Amino acid sequence: MSIFVDENTKVIVQGLTGSQGRFHGLRNRDYGTKVVAGTSPTKAGTDVDGVPVYANVKEAVAATGATASFVVVPPPGACAAILEAAEAGIEFIVCITEGIPAQDEALTYARLVHEFPGTRLLGPNCPGIISPGKCNIGITSGDIALAGGPVGIVSRSGTLTYQALYELSSQGIGQTTCVGIGGDPVPGTNFIDCLAAFEADPETKAIMMIGEIGGSEEERAAAFIADHVTKPVVSYVAGVTAPPGRKMGHAGAIISGSQGTAQAKMDALAAAGVTIALNPTEAGNAMIEIVKAMGL
Amino acid sequence: MDLFEYQGKQYFARFDIPVSKGGVADTDDEAVAQAEAAGYPVVVKAQVKVGGRGKAGGVKLAENADEVRFHAGNILGLDIKGHIVRRLWIENSSDIAKEYYASFTLDRPNKVHLGMLSKEGGVEIEEVAVTNPDAIARISIDPTVGLDLQTATDWVERADLDLEARDQAAALLVKLYRCYTEGDCDLAEINPLILTTDGRVHALDAKVTLDDNASFRHPEWEAFAWGETEDPREQMAKERGLNYIGLDGTVGIIANGAGLAMSTLDVVNQVGGTAANFLDIGGGANADVMAAALEVINTDPKVKAIFVNIFGGITKVDDVANGVLEALKRVEISSPIVLRLDGTNAAEGRAILQPHLSDRLIAEPTMLDAARRAVTLAGN
């Protein structure tokens, strides 16, 4: 099984007629994802390589029965696009947009919680989600993922998500689902959401969690793992050598004082029984050993 | 972007938050002119983005023009924890009766806004949080609800501010919340927020961090560009649109994606090397971006080897390979380059580079191998 999406998930691409939306939307379709529609306020009635374009999400949902949406819209309009999808009844929204103001993210997240509790947002500023062989929504290259499980991956960083997939796939270890939650300050889906879903998924036998400096999500995840996760977890936290007080690319990746350091996060995870690796290769090797020891 | 105190006060003033009368000065003559305008006595304050200015001799009281000139002369050029003072803020001195603390920031775990208010201001709030946590009155604010005057009034009472300060403080907090939200701040902090002996409440200091992602809707932020970075390497990178942070080591780093760039630093460190920088070229690694990245790193005399670590996603490895070759035609690079290329179109990318490989341009199959090679070449 996979988490959040599967081979039947029907996806709308918001922003399909833009260059990014077209490239990634069609790439996702080529992977086998059911990309059933796109939206554009000005190009309704046209199509993008055979994918019909509707004026808004509501019309696209009515016509196709889609339950997921892929938001590829620039920062000034991204939050409105997310809320439009939620209002149209979309249950799972993936937003890859980088550069959304934190105030907008906080407001949008609060509105989702109050008005659309049944909707899950993944991102913003994330690579998306891939369930190998079934569904790929986002910008991850499908050929670095390997179907069949048994590992679930959750990561805050885009390129490290690819690195993690590569480390496992290149040694023949497949994945159930790989979720990139993104590095922004207000992620719609966090580590705990994914850990809980992987714990509940019978096909996921082990979990790889890639964190990074900043915030306290890894510490909270550690507490959750200690209490609720029975499956083995391997973790790597990027940014051991990061200087304090500097924003390392991701808006969320900043160490304030002694809080948010990679060391503090690794200590918390180790205390929860997680296997700690010091780089992505080590994490991959540790996971491979665990999987082999399980006889998988 | 962190603001200087004077910029923070200018930003506060836009939201009608009371601050002391004052102005900026880059010379002792300008300092005297600002002091005359603000009215004596004045405080001469060093403008640096680092704490502990007072202890370092960067904040002085002056009663007259001679004293202003004397202090301004001493403070300009002063080195405060590695930050050279190039600008002063001169403001009318306040008679302080009480010092409080107020701030708004994002409560990331709970995804709501967090306000903190304390009657124990003027000291590090982290210290108060440890020694006397009950002295900090916190408030969680739902972004869809905001902060109204009644809620602020209750909050001020809960924080046990002095009676005569409460009404003004509540009104000021509502304005500070507006500054934080509408002004797109990551942090809006006043420490100390003071009650003067004649019963006025205002901001004596300002610590403001703006959210760079919101700059598209704040053209007024351009005024804050002065002195944003002291490091000439960072200045050059900024002009070329690169996400660069200067460090002190000998291995120059170029990677795509913030996480991979951080991880590259980690791996270089683990194999015994030191990174000269953090540089994330992001998703679109074309020849221009790669040339600019190599050029910035090339200006750093400490760099002895360059490690290019690419995992193609949106970025295609063949584009990166062409970018590197194109960049080498444009820029004379003084250090050897070690490449690790994986991901989308990796085979094509490696094939493009193959005929050009030498002891100055080296390809390694994995991130760890490449880090070891770069560190060896850097002589660590």
Side-chain angles (χ1 to χ4, degrees):
Chain A
M1 263 172 68
S2 47
I3 66 168
F4 305 144
V5 293
D6 61 28
E7 61 273 32
N8 299 315
T9 304
K10 289 182 183 171
V11 185
I12 290 168
V13 180
Q14 290 171 264
L16 180 67
T17 55
S19 65
Q20 293 265 326
R22 180 188 173 93
F23 181 80
H24 296 296
L26 295 180
R27 204 161 165 240
N28 287 170
R29 185 188 64 174
D30 293 346
Y31 186 76
T33 309
K34 289 195 166 69
V35 175
V36 294
T39 62
S40 163
T42 54
K43 292 174 182 160
T46 65
D47 73 272
V48 172
D49 199 31
V51 180
V53 176
Y54 297 87
N56 55 56
V57 181
K58 197 176 171 188
E59 287 178 20
V61 167
T64 64
T67 57
S69 139
F70 178 18
V71 176
V72 196
V73 173
C79 285
I82 291 167
L83 290 168
E84 185 198 331
E87 276 168 21
I90 292 287
E91 293 162 8
F92 187 67
I93 302 169
V94 176
C95 179
I96 64 161
T97 308
E98 179 176 6
I100 298 176
Q103 293 289 344
D104 295 2
E105 288 186 9
L107 185 61
T108 303
Y109 182 81
R111 284 198 59 192
L112 288 176
V113 169
H114 295 316
E115 300 169 39
F116 311 103
T119 299
R120 170 174 299 287
L121 170 66
L122 177 62
N125 193 13
C126 75
I129 183 167
I130 179 167
S131 181
K134 296 177 181 171
C135 182
N136 185 9
I137 308 175
I139 60 179
T140 305
S141 182
D143 56 13
I144 52 171
L146 185 65
V151 179
I153 300 176
V154 56
S155 166
R156 261 169 84 180
S157 146
T159 37
L160 281 181
T161 310
Y162 313 150
Q163 183 74 40
L165 281 167
Y166 171 82
E167 298 285 355
L168 295 179
S169 298
S170 63
Q171 300 208 45
I173 304 294
Q175 307 88 33
T176 51
T177 305
C178 173
V179 191
I181 59 175
D184 271 9
V186 191
T189 293
N190 61 22
F191 281 128
I192 293 175
D193 298 323
C194 299
L195 291 167
F198 282 132
E199 176 68 16
D201 171 33
E203 284 178 17
T204 300
K205 307 294 184 195
I207 303 165
M208 187 185 283
M209 175 179 144
I210 312 281
E212 65 186 34
I213 57 166
S216 55
E217 283 298 302
E218 289 79 3
E219 287 86 338
R220 286 158 51 85
F224 181 84
I225 290 167
D227 293 341
H228 302 287
V229 178
T230 58
K231 298 173 182 178
V233 182
V234 173
S235 188
Y236 162 60
V237 179
V240 182
T241 41
R246 303 298 304 270
K247 205 176 263 192
M248 306 292 273
H250 286 161
I254 184 167
I255 302 173
S256 318
S258 58
Q259 285 191 326
T261 64
Q263 193 58 51
K265 292 171 185 299
M266 290 192 287
D267 291 348
L269 288 163
V274 172
T275 303
I276 302 297
L278 293 175
N279 60 59
T281 308
E282 229 181 88
N285 292 340
M287 181 53 87
I288 288 155
E289 272 184 38
I290 286 172
V291 170
K292 284 186 177 157
M294 293 169 106
L296 298 168
Chain B
M1 174 171 47
D2 293 332
L3 297 188
F4 288 102
E5 173 199 1
Y6 80 90
Q7 294 170 333
K9 285 182 170 172
Q10 289 169 348
Y11 207 51
F12 282 172
R14 297 177 74 98
F15 293 89
D16 201 24
I17 295 164
V19 293
S20 304
K21 192 177 181 198
V24 292
D26 294 345
T27 65
D28 50 1
D29 285 342
E30 283 174 21
V32 171
Q34 292 291 10
E36 305 282 336
Y40 293 105
V42 294
V43 185
V44 180
K45 303 177 86 172
Q47 296 300 294
V48 283
K49 292 174 182 179
V50 64
R53 289 178 297 172
K55 281 179 193 157
V59 180
K60 294 289 182 185
L61 188 68
E63 300 282 353
N64 54 51
D66 286 345
E67 289 184 16
V68 169
R69 194 173 294 282
F70 175 76
H71 291 310
N74 284 339
I75 296 172
L76 283 168
L78 193 66
D79 182 334
I80 301 179
K81 297 178 187 170
H83 297 247
I84 307 297
V85 182
R86 291 189 288 141
R87 183 163 279 185
L88 304 169
W89 170 253
I90 316 290
E91 72 177 17
N92 182 252
S93 171
S94 300
D95 290 319
I96 301 169
K98 285 287 172 60
E99 292 184 303
Y100 310 129
Y101 170 95
S103 72
F104 291 102
T105 188
L106 181 70
D107 174 358
R108 288 172 49 163
N110 296 308
K111 301 176 185 179
V112 293
H113 298 311
L114 172 69
M116 289 195 283
L117 181 63
S118 175
K119 62 177 180 178
E120 292 190 13
V123 292
E124 290 283 323
I125 196 65
E126 289 86 351
E127 204 178 302
V128 179
V130 173
T131 56
N132 190 7
D134 293 341
I136 302 172
R138 294 162 191 262
I139 187 170
S140 283
I141 302 170
D142 183 327
T144 62
V145 176
L147 179 68
D148 63 21
L149 188 59
Q150 184 55 51
T151 310
T153 303
D154 295 344
W155 181 26
V156 166
E157 197 181 311
R158 186 155 55 85
D160 196 27
L161 298 198
D162 298 87
L163 280 176
E164 57 182 316
R166 288 185 186 177
D167 288 349
Q168 290 178 70
L172 184 147
L173 288 168
V174 171
K175 291 171 184 170
L176 186 63
Y177 181 76
R178 263 195 62 215
C179 172
Y180 165 70
T181 52
E182 292 171 31
D184 280 303
C185 300
D186 284 338
L187 171 71
E189 180 185 77
I190 305 176
N191 190 21
L193 172 70
I194 60 163
L195 171 66
T196 61
T197 50
D198 59 352
R200 290 176 298 118
V201 173
H202 78 260
L204 198 63
D205 201 352
K207 191 172 176 193
V208 173
T209 305
L210 301 175
D211 176 4
D212 297 325
N213 283 351
S215 60
F216 68 85
R217 60 189 176 202
H218 293 283
E220 76 278 14
W221 288 1
E222 277 173 32
F224 299 141
W226 182 86
E228 202 186 327
T229 171
E230 307 249 323
D231 187 328
R233 296 173 299 172
E234 290 187 7
Q235 188 61 43
M236 185 178 176
K238 194 177 162 57
E239 283 161 13
R240 284 161 175 72
L242 296 169
N243 190 353
Y244 175 98
I245 295 175
L247 303 167
D248 287 326
T250 58
V251 180
I253 307 283
I254 298 174
N256 68 320
L260 188 64
M262 273 190 271
S263 190
T264 307
L265 261 61
D266 292 348
V267 171
V268 164
N269 199 268
Q270 281 159 22
V271 299
T274 52
N277 63 278
F278 167 96
L279 203 170
D280 166 19
I281 55 171
N286 57 30
D288 286 340
V289 173
M290 189 53 83
L294 286 170
E295 204 178 352
V296 169
I297 288 179
N298 204 37
T299 62
D300 186 340
K302 283 188 182 168
V303 169
K304 300 292 179 251
I306 299 171
F307 178 8
V308 178
N309 189 11
I310 302 295
F311 204 111
I314 306 183
T315 305
K316 297 181 189 72
V317 173
D318 47 346
D319 288 347
V320 173
N322 284 321
V324 170
L325 295 181
E326 182 62 33
L328 289 175
K329 280 185 212 157
R330 294 189 208 168
V331 193
E332 182 74 28
I333 303 295
S334 46
S335 309
I337 300 171
V338 181
L339 301 143
R340 175 271 178 154
L341 306 170
D342 261 314
T344 310
N345 297 354
E348 292 89 334
R350 290 185 193 131
I352 289 167
L353 284 172
Q354 189 60 41
H356 302 274
L357 295 178
S358 68
D359 59 353
R360 308 288 297 165
L361 187 67
I362 299 149
E364 290 286 354
T366 72
M367 189 163 156
L368 272 177
D369 291 335
R372 286 195 190 100
R373 177 63 82 92
V375 169
T376 304
L377 287 169
N380 284 106

